[in-house]
Each structure stands twice: as C-alpha cells, then as structure tokens.
Amino acid sequence: MKTMTQAPMIKLVMFLMALLLTSACSNARASSGVQVELSSQGDQLAFTQTTLQANAGEEVTVVFKNSSKALQHNWVLVKGDDRVAKQVSEKALAAGLEQLMIPAGATDILAHTNLLQSGETAKLTFTAPTEPGDYTYLCTFPGHYLVGMKGTLVVEP
Ligand code: CU
C-alpha cells in the first residue's frame, strides 16, 4: 500500500524539478539581452541618447522616461533610416492624437511605447532586427521629429 502512494509522489517531485529547471533556463535567456535607458532632454525636443546599440536578433529592453514638465513624447523605432522615419512621422501626423500618434497597422514600425505624459516612464521589450544596420527612432508627437527628436539604434552583426 505504501509503495503505491510513493510512486505518484516521486513523479510529482520530478515534474516540479523539471518545471524549476525550465524556468531557470528561460530566465538565463532573458538576461542575455540588453537594456537601454533614455529620456527626453528635460523640456527640449530631444532624446538624452542619440545612439543606442544592440546585437542582431537580441532581446532589447528600452526604458524611456518623459522627463519634460508639460510635453508628451513617445519612442518609436522604425524599420529603416531617416527616410522611413520621415514617412512614419507623416503617417503619425495623419493618424492624429485620437490614435495617440501611432498609425494603425504600420509595418515600418518595429517597436513603440505609448504616448507618455510628463513624468511617465515606459518599459518595452522587443527583438532587435536580424539584419545589421542603422535603425532610426523618433518621437511622433507633431513637430518633435522635425526639430530633431530622433536617434539611431545601431544593430551589430
Ligand atoms: Cu516628443
């Protein structure tokens, strides 16, 4: 009788140990990514960092803080350089504030935060492009990109 109750118990313990091992592995994978932090430059229409780096296909976590007193900002990474950023900026303008300056279904946007109020912080995780190169990020709030609220994510091979 005793051995019959022990067998399922051993199976349960083994199952739990397997679970622990799997979660330990996935934690290790997550920590192999890169985390970058940037904010708006006070009340200026600029980011504190105009260059960010990541490896191709790497998991990137961006922590973006809107440190302005009254302005709204977002952080939008586009699938390409300044030419694509300009197009995204124009599409965002057409989308307007009702869509929070993010054009719906835009395939040239790789990752973006919400439109942040002053003092707000957003944390965003995405996979860096597998193709190395320079990718522009910008703020799509009307006028901000035009005066230079942008930067470059350099994706290394
Ligand atoms: Cu902005």
Side-chain angles (χ1 to χ4, degrees):
M1 225 28 202
K2 205 177 178 185
T3 49
M4 276 178 77
T5 52
Q6 262 174 354
M9 189 64 180
I10 289 166
K11 274 186 187 164
L12 180 68
V13 168
M14 283 172 75
F15 172 73
L16 287 174
M17 279 172 72
L19 262 186
L20 276 172
L21 282 172
T22 348
S23 63
C25 284
S26 56
N27 280 345
R29 258 205 313 276
S31 67
S32 72
V34 65
Q35 178 165 317
V36 292
E37 289 176 25
L38 77 168
S39 64
S40 64
Q41 254 185 47
D43 283 309
Q44 293 177 46
L45 300 178
F47 290 112
T48 50
Q49 275 175 271
T50 51
T51 309
L52 301 173
Q53 273 187 331
N55 292 321
E58 178 178 39
E59 193 173 275
V60 182
T61 300
V62 169
V63 180
F64 172 56
K65 185 181 185 205
N66 179 354
S67 52
S68 75
K69 287 196 183 72
L71 300 164
Q72 288 179 298
H73 294 299
N74 60 10
W75 184 90
V76 179
L77 178 69
V78 305
K79 199 177 181 175
D81 57 12
D82 265 12
R83 278 170 302 176
V84 180
K86 189 169 179 285
Q87 287 163 16
V88 167
S89 158
E90 281 160 10
K91 274 190 249 177
L93 206 58
L97 277 170
E98 304 87 69
Q99 288 183 51
L100 300 170
M101 308 315 295
I102 298 295
T107 52
D108 42 11
I109 292 178
L110 294 175
H112 71 86
T113 66
N114 290 327
L115 194 57
L116 303 185
Q117 304 295 328
S118 72
E120 282 186 332
T121 299
K123 190 173 177 177
L124 158 82
T125 299
F126 63 95
T127 305
T130 49
E131 201 174 314
D134 291 353
Y135 295 80
T136 300
Y137 56 86
L138 73 151
C139 171
T140 61
F141 194 89
H144 293 194
Y145 166 73
L146 290 176
V147 294
M149 193 160 188
K150 61 174 182 171
T152 306
L153 172 73
V154 180
V155 176
E156 310 271 9

